[in-house]
Amino acid sequence: MTIKTILFVAIDRGSAAAGLDWARELARQQAAHLAMALVGETAEPSISERLENAAPAAAVLRHTTLDEAWIAQQARHADLVVMALPQTRSADSGDEIKLIEALARNVGCPVVTLPPRIVPDRIARRVAIAWDASPPAQRAVRAALPLLAKADVVAIVTIDPEHPIDLAAQLQHFLDRHGITATAHPIIGRDAECGALLEEAIDQLDADLLVMGARGRPSAAEWLLGKTTCHLLGRVGIPIMVSA
């Protein structure tokens, strides 16, 4: 699998420029085409022109409102969506997380969410995989293979009450057959602690990208993403690649 088209979705004036720098560098790393979907205030002439000048080779699409259906339509022909979370809103407040869910579920496209403030000086060089062997986690790893292949460090973080090391072994073999060397980072813990334990692991590993599957009951509070994913989207300062 290769990544040939990346769609950068800009929905916030404050995070748009830094997010574009990150997406543009990832596109360069993957030799991929970059497209931009400018939404709301980022579609206004002043910020729109600045973003176009920053990525002159990118295709530019504009929409006046945060419209899930319109963004999903643009994402149908992308291999990866990159979305910068707004600087001025809580990351677990409604619209943005529902948009991430819509893209992952309805389009089947993996989504990288960028934290509100990001410095694009290290792009997916130290990658942590949150691994529970679930179908969403499996899909996330397969989608991330082009990124994992270019990473300097790949760590498999497993959380289990008794035998966390056992979860990582088969994934290590799978990645090894793709030419990717991964180390196991087992943690003894329970599901209820996953968010905090993953935060701690990301810090210890000095990771600059987290790959994880989105799982959970699609309720009004959790949607498809699950409590752990929503918790991390609002707290960790690194990009998170989510697949449903």
Side-chain angles (χ1 to χ4, degrees), residues 46-72:
S46 58
I47 186 70
S48 177
E49 183 177 353
R50 184 152 62 93
L51 292 175
E52 287 185 64
N53 290 338
V60 181
L61 310 154
R62 298 176 184 81
H63 203 276
T64 55
T65 60
L66 183 58
D67 184 332
E68 290 178 19
W70 181 81
I71 296 174

Side-chain angles (χ1 to χ4, degrees), residues 17-208:
L20 175 59
D21 286 343
W22 194 95
R24 185 176 55 181
E25 178 58 24
L26 181 65
R28 186 201 63 78
Q29 183 189 105
Q30 295 292 322
H33 172 74
L34 179 64
M36 289 191 292
L38 308 181
V39 181
E41 66 176 9
T42 64
E44 295 173 1
S46 58
I47 186 70
S48 177
E49 183 177 353
R50 184 152 62 93
L51 292 175
E52 287 185 64
N53 290 338
V60 181
L61 310 154
R62 298 176 184 81
H63 203 276
T64 55
T65 60
L66 183 58
D67 184 332
E68 290 178 19
W70 181 81
I71 296 174
Q73 184 178 9
Q74 312 315 315
R76 287 194 185 113
H77 303 291
D79 299 304
L80 181 68
V81 172
V82 176
M83 189 173 80
L85 293 175
Q87 290 185 342
T88 56
R89 297 188 63 184
S90 170
D92 59 1
S93 63
D95 293 345
E96 294 81 32
I97 286 184
K98 284 193 285 185
L99 174 58
I100 298 165
E101 176 204 342
L103 293 173
R105 182 180 62 182
N106 299 331
V107 183
C109 187
V111 181
V112 174
T113 63
L114 306 181
R117 291 172 178 82
I118 186 169
V119 179
D121 59 345
R122 196 175 70 184
I123 309 293
R125 305 313 304 178
R126 298 180 64 87
V127 182
I129 301 171
W131 181 247
D132 60 3
S134 66
Q138 294 171 38
R139 288 190 285 270
V141 168
R142 292 189 185 100
L145 284 174
L147 280 66
L148 301 178
K150 293 182 179 294
D152 298 324
V153 174
V154 177
I156 304 168
V157 181
T158 53
I159 300 172
D160 189 89
E162 296 177 354
H163 307 292
I165 189 66
D166 296 342
L167 281 173
Q170 289 188 332
L171 180 57
Q172 284 180 293
H173 294 318
F174 170 79
L175 293 175
D176 184 62
R177 288 190 286 272
H178 283 272
I180 299 165
T181 300
T183 59
H185 191 83
I187 300 171
I188 295 177
R190 301 182 183 278
D191 281 350
E193 307 167 312
C194 278
L197 291 173
L198 280 172
E199 275 191 79
E200 184 178 347
I202 289 166
D203 186 59
Q204 290 177 354
L205 294 165
D206 189 27
D208 58 15

